[in-house]
Amino acid sequence: MLNQYSISTTEEGYNSFTTDFGLTYFLYFTGYYLKNSNGEDVVVMSLGFYHEPLIVENRKYDPKVKNTILQIITDFFENNKEMSTIYICSTSDGYGRHRRITFNKWYKEVDVPIEKFDCREAQAKEGLYASFFIRSDNQLKDYYVDAFYRSIDEYFPADNEYVAA
Amino acid sequence: MKNEKIHIAPNSEKPYNLIRHILEDKKRIQEAIEKGVPLSSLKGINFVKPVQY
């Protein structure tokens, strides 16, 4: 993808890039597991990222940031076709909902066929902005999506329908 | 369900709450990087490298 920043992987295992405006982004994947209907643990990744400094005054829109993050997500699903990942928007600064809206737009531009499943609306109202990403052509998509909702319902029990975006 | 493509984790600790675990880890990771603490020193966080550059 053109018009993006150069990405490096540190020995610590996270990816980083620095913008033209002096922000350094850190992106990492951590491993967890979902619960399937048999109570077994199913491996899943979680994507996290943030930038330093955390507080930015007079922020300017930088499309290269979006392109770079999307490149990492594209590479993840290109190289790990059977895997899925969870993304939870940070709410520590009160902008969790804004991040969710932004990410809802971004993921549609990923260069691989992926689908996003959001946590239930009642959970979002409680401040949880979690989404599950998986390739559309993953033959076990339904299995993983079911495990995702089973797992997050342990945190916020609810009875709503799945939300596919 | 039996399928080779399903990655089952053996011998996990219980009880386990996925969301709480992720949220706690996110906070610890952010604090560690801000303070320059090596991520490898963070106990209980499973860093993976599915994409490398």
Side-chain angles (χ1 to χ4, degrees):
Chain A
M1 186 182 289
L2 300 175
N3 200 24
Q4 69 179 49
Y5 293 110
S6 175
I7 310 165
S8 63
T9 302
T10 69
E11 292 183 1
E12 292 284 291
Y14 56 83
N15 301 308
S16 70
F17 64 90
T18 300
T19 73
D20 295 334
F21 302 97
L23 286 178
T24 298
Y25 279 76
F26 300 92
L27 298 93
Y28 57 86
F29 288 90
T30 42
Y32 301 93
Y33 48 88
L34 305 168
K35 290 291 183 188
N36 69 12
S37 57
N38 295 327
E40 296 172 313
D41 300 328
V42 182
V43 175
V44 67
M45 305 284 177
S46 173
L47 165 67
F49 66 89
Y50 72 97
H51 58 68
E52 279 192 335
L54 285 175
I55 299 174
V56 182
E57 295 182 0
N58 302 318
R59 179 193 292 269
K60 296 179 179 177
Y61 174 67
D62 183 355
K64 292 167 71 173
V65 169
K66 178 188 73 173
N67 294 342
T68 309
I69 293 173
L70 292 184
Q71 183 64 60
I72 294 173
I73 296 173
T74 296
D75 291 341
F76 172 82
F77 282 106
E78 281 286 2
N79 297 314
N80 304 275
K81 292 182 170 61
E82 299 171 3
M83 294 305 296
S84 53
T85 189
I86 292 172
Y87 175 65
I88 300 178
C89 298
S90 173
T91 58
S92 60
D93 58 0
Y95 286 98
R97 181 173 171 274
H98 296 75
R99 291 191 179 91
R100 185 192 201 190
I101 292 171
T102 299
F103 215 68
N104 279 346
K105 297 175 183 175
W106 284 14
Y107 95 92
K108 295 174 182 174
E109 298 180 37
V110 172
D111 244 358
V112 287
I114 62 170
E115 290 183 39
K116 177 171 72 70
F117 296 85
D118 293 330
C119 64
R120 306 178 198 284
E121 198 55 41
Q123 295 162 345
K125 288 180 180 176
E126 292 292 328
L128 175 67
Y129 300 105
S131 296
F132 178 76
F133 297 86
I134 191 168
R135 285 184 67 109
S136 304
D137 54 6
N138 188 321
Q139 295 182 351
L140 296 168
K141 181 178 66 180
D142 292 344
Y143 171 86
Y144 280 108
V145 170
D146 179 71
F148 168 68
Y149 282 107
R150 285 179 187 278
S151 300
I152 62 171
D153 283 349
E154 290 182 1
Y155 191 73
F156 283 122
D159 294 318
N160 296 330
E161 295 297 317
Y162 293 178
V163 181
Chain B
M1 178 182 285
K2 297 294 183 185
N3 192 307
E4 292 181 347
K5 295 179 180 177
I6 299 172
H7 302 273
I8 302 292
N11 303 321
S12 62
E13 297 179 3
K14 299 202 176 37
Y16 176 89
N17 185 295
L18 171 73
I19 301 301
R20 182 174 296 126
H21 205 142
I22 294 176
L23 291 174
E24 290 175 353
D25 288 353
K26 283 170 70 76
K27 185 177 180 181
R28 291 175 62 199
I29 292 167
Q30 182 171 323
E31 289 175 350
I33 295 180
E34 287 172 8
K35 295 176 181 176
V37 175
L39 298 185
S40 55
S41 69
L42 299 179
K43 304 292 185 186
I45 299 179
N46 178 26
F47 287 96
V48 290
K49 304 176 184 178
V51 288
Q52 296 189 52
Y53 300 91

